[in-house]
Amino acid sequence: MSECGCESHQVQIREPAMEARMETMNNYARTGNIRGLYTSIKDDPQLLEDMDKVRFIHTPLHEAAAFGQTSFALEILNLMPSFGKKLNPDGLSPLHVAVELKNITTARSLVRMDKQLVQVKGKEGFTPLHLAARNASNDDELEILANFLHECPESIHDLNNRFQTAVHVALEYNDHNGASTLLLKWIRLTSRESILGSKDVDGNTALHTAVKYYRTEAVKVLVELVKLNPKNECNETPLDIADKYPTDLETVKTILIDAGARKEEQLPKVPSKVQYLRSKVTFFEYLFQLCFSAYRDFVLNLRSDIMVVAVLITTATYQAVLQPPGGVYPPEGNSRLAMSDAALSTHVSGSAGKTVMKLRDYHDFMPANTAAFTLSLVMILLVVQGQPSSIFLLLCLIFLARSYYSAMKIISNSSMLTTSLFYICTVVTYFALGLKLLFIVVKSLIDEVWTPRLNTVAHNKIHDRCMGRCIQTHIRRLVRHYHLIKYGK
């Protein structure tokens, strides 16, 4: 019993001693006394580990960041890397503190040692990047914002507790220092325009936010980078928001209208998820589902098998047209080609390079061989991966087909049959190529795998401007059906 009492007493008297040592170490942090840091470690080797066990604590690293003691901060971050992501009772990491108190050198040095510190979420879900975007007020502070983006580009995708990106924050809080301009310029140069379509808790994109807070310069940039007519949770487009304040937002409204923006009432009605699932399946959706199911079952699931067999057939048939059965007539005065005496005896002047086989045999062989080659090539065209990068492979296949048909014409001894085969197979091959290219373009636009700029142009200039509301409604339903089938959402 007494032992327990003694142990309890030891804990009680040890706690104030630990707090005293922590205060001593924080004093060293304020003055940048690295020698004092190691003196404290010698006196209590477990002190840093004991601090690390506390979920929210103001560490010496926080203190060094607050007072701009860069050398001390880097020293203790090297000893205890976990301190870099530790939040103090105010919900701030050391990097948050350095940014908040504008200790630029310290902030930059911490990020250089550990890039992931830029993505630490603190109070209200703000990362140091959010904080820098909100607070930057001069060139030096804009420099640290640019440094964060350079060191940790992924941080641009981080959201706070209101699902806001750093762009949302800069547009909402910072209207005079160019933080939003810097962010938009960086996003444009690094082709990360898709982040601008991210919606906050109220469903507002960057364009909604720019219009709401009358950021004219940002609106001028955004209308070229994003879709113009997204709706927020109140079913308002950016133009609807601008229309609420006709006097104050007249310039912004003009920019939106000139770019082709529309009000919610001018857009086709898009059913909610519940309404869509309750609605009757249209003919186009039913047809699309049949085609997609067939493609998935017979192409995607058997792609590797189809590709192997088709390549073998293509290779064999291409070789057969280069070396047809019986060979070809040699050049004039050259009999080195391995041919029968009967064939040589029937050699006709001017037939060099033509196939030796009889016309009846040619009529049996060449159509079958050409049909096998063409159909196998079509299968390769259809089952090859539908990605933009595969376009070069498709072009190679077309050149291969062209060389086959040219070889067929060269060895032909029946011009009428060869011409018919040439035109029929060329039409079939190019029709398959057109279908594949159309599939790649449509799939890429739906999945948005092209550059964000192309997706935006296609949506703003073609979909919203050139298509009627009825066509837009059907397209939106088909896109939703596609995502439902493929992704289950």
Side-chain angles (χ1 to χ4, degrees):
M1 195 67 151
S2 61
E3 290 181 0
C4 293
C6 291
E7 290 178 1
S8 177
H9 180 66
Q10 289 175 0
V11 171
Q12 291 176 1
I13 63 174
R14 184 181 177 183
E15 198 64 37
M18 176 183 171
E19 291 180 358
R21 291 186 181 279
M22 287 175 57
E23 182 58 33
T24 300
M25 189 171 287
N26 284 336
N27 287 331
Y28 293 145
R30 294 186 196 103
T31 59
N33 188 347
I34 296 177
R35 181 177 298 178
L37 166 65
Y38 283 99
T39 299
S40 294
I41 293 175
K42 288 179 182 178
D43 294 340
D44 188 354
Q46 295 297 319
L47 180 58
L48 296 180
E49 280 96 353
D50 290 341
M51 291 183 188
D52 198 32
K53 293 176 183 178
V54 181
R55 181 67 182 88
F56 299 99
I57 187 172
H58 190 83
T59 67
L61 183 54
H62 287 88
E63 198 72 8
F67 283 84
Q69 297 295 343
T70 303
S71 297
F72 189 96
L74 296 179
E75 191 70 29
I76 200 166
L77 182 61
N78 179 60
L79 295 175
M80 293 294 293
S82 60
F83 278 12
K85 299 179 181 180
K86 182 74 67 176
L87 301 182
N88 65 13
D90 294 323
L92 301 176
S93 72
L95 186 56
H96 283 94
V97 172
V99 173
E100 187 74 40
L101 296 178
K102 306 184 186 305
N103 291 320
I104 306 302
T105 302
T106 303
R108 186 181 301 165
S109 299
L110 290 174
V111 173
R112 187 175 179 182
M113 181 169 280
D114 186 354
K115 297 176 176 58
Q116 300 304 315
L117 298 182
V118 180
Q119 296 185 277
V120 176
K121 290 189 176 184
K123 184 180 179 181
E124 298 180 354
F126 271 60
T127 66
L129 182 68
H130 287 99
L131 209 59
R134 187 184 71 181
N135 295 347
S137 58
N138 55 49
D139 288 346
D140 288 338
E141 291 164 13
L142 288 175
E143 186 66 32
I144 193 60
L145 177 60
N147 182 261
F148 285 173
L149 294 171
H150 175 75
E151 295 290 347
C152 188
E154 298 80 11
S155 62
I156 194 65
H157 297 279
D158 292 331
L159 308 177
N160 63 15
N161 292 350
R162 297 186 63 238
F163 304 128
Q164 293 175 314
T165 65
V167 180
H168 284 100
V169 172
L171 291 170
E172 181 174 347
Y173 294 98
N174 218 325
D175 63 342
H176 60 279
N177 61 12
S180 59
T181 302
L182 185 150
L183 287 167
L184 292 175
K185 180 71 172 180
W186 181 86
I187 287 172
R188 191 169 192 170
L189 291 175
T190 57
S191 298
R192 297 174 185 265
E193 290 93 337
S194 59
I195 191 63
L196 298 175
S198 178
K199 295 185 176 182
D200 65 14
V201 70
D202 297 318
N204 292 319
T205 65
L207 184 56
H208 284 97
T209 307
V211 172
K212 182 178 179 180
Y213 292 97
Y214 194 51
R215 311 296 190 227
T216 307
E217 295 303 318
V219 171
K220 290 179 181 178
V221 177
L222 286 169
V223 293
E224 298 178 2
L225 304 179
V226 301
K227 295 176 181 178
L228 296 173
N229 304 310
K231 299 177 186 179
N232 60 18
E233 293 296 322
C234 298
N235 279 330
E236 295 175 329
T237 66
L239 187 57
D240 287 321
I241 294 177
D243 202 43
K244 285 183 177 181
Y245 314 99
T247 302
D248 296 335
L249 297 182
E250 195 62 38
T251 304
V252 170
K253 184 178 177 180
T254 302
I255 296 171
L256 291 172
I257 293 175
D258 290 344
R262 300 285 186 269
K263 296 182 181 180
E264 189 274 336
E265 60 188 24
Q266 297 173 309
L267 299 176
K269 301 298 181 183
V270 180
S272 65
K273 292 181 180 179
V274 173
Q275 292 172 334
Y276 173 74
L277 293 175
R278 285 178 176 175
S279 63
K280 184 178 179 180
V281 177
T282 66
F283 170 77
F284 294 107
E285 289 174 319
Y286 179 73
L287 182 63
F288 171 77
Q289 186 171 356
L290 287 178
C291 294
F292 186 87
S293 298
Y295 178 77
R296 179 179 56 193
D297 295 338
F298 296 104
V299 176
L300 297 183
N301 294 341
L302 299 175
R303 171 176 277 144
S304 58
D305 295 337
I306 293 174
M307 187 67 75
V308 170
V309 175
V311 168
L312 289 175
I313 295 173
T314 302
T315 304
T317 52
Y318 189 85
Q319 186 65 27
V321 80
L322 296 179
Q323 296 179 344
V328 296
Y329 287 111
E332 297 290 342
N334 186 352
S335 60
R336 288 180 295 174
L337 186 64
M339 296 171 55
S340 64
D341 293 338
L344 286 172
S345 65
T346 59
H347 182 241
V348 181
S349 178
S351 61
K354 301 294 183 181
T355 182
V356 174
M357 71 177 73
K358 296 178 181 179
L359 185 61
R360 184 181 62 185
D361 295 331
Y362 180 87
H363 285 179
D364 289 338
F365 168 76
M366 191 55 67
N369 191 75
T370 304
F373 174 82
T374 303
L375 293 177
S376 63
L377 201 66
V378 166
M379 290 305 299
I380 295 175
L381 285 170
L382 294 179
V383 304
V384 73
Q385 290 284 355
Q387 302 295 335
S389 57
S390 63
I391 291 178
F392 295 102
L393 176 59
L394 300 181
L395 292 177
C396 291
L397 293 175
I398 293 301
F399 290 135
L400 177 68
R402 179 68 183 180
S403 67
Y404 175 93
Y405 300 140
S406 297
M408 179 181 67
K409 291 178 65 177
I410 291 171
I411 69 169
S412 169
N413 52 21
S414 176
S415 59
M416 183 178 296
L417 175 63
T418 302
T419 302
S420 301
L421 288 175
F422 176 81
Y423 284 113
I424 292 173
C425 295
T426 299
V427 169
V428 171
T429 304
Y430 280 97
F431 179 74
L433 175 65
L435 284 179
K436 188 64 178 184
L437 291 177
L438 179 63
F439 173 80
I440 290 175
V441 170
V442 173
K443 183 176 182 296
S444 300
L445 288 174
I446 293 175
D447 289 337
E448 297 191 347
V449 299
W450 295 100
T451 61
R453 191 75 53 78
L454 287 178
N455 287 319
T456 301
V457 170
H459 192 277
N460 293 340
K461 304 297 184 183
I462 300 176
H463 183 270
D464 283 354
R465 284 193 175 187
C466 302
M467 296 182 181
R469 296 181 65 175
C470 182
I471 296 177
Q472 290 185 43
T473 301
H474 282 296
I475 290 176
R476 289 174 188 270
R477 287 185 65 93
L478 288 176
V479 170
R480 175 167 281 181
H481 195 183
Y482 169 77
H483 285 286
L484 184 65
I485 293 175
K486 187 172 182 179
Y487 305 110
K489 62 180 181 179

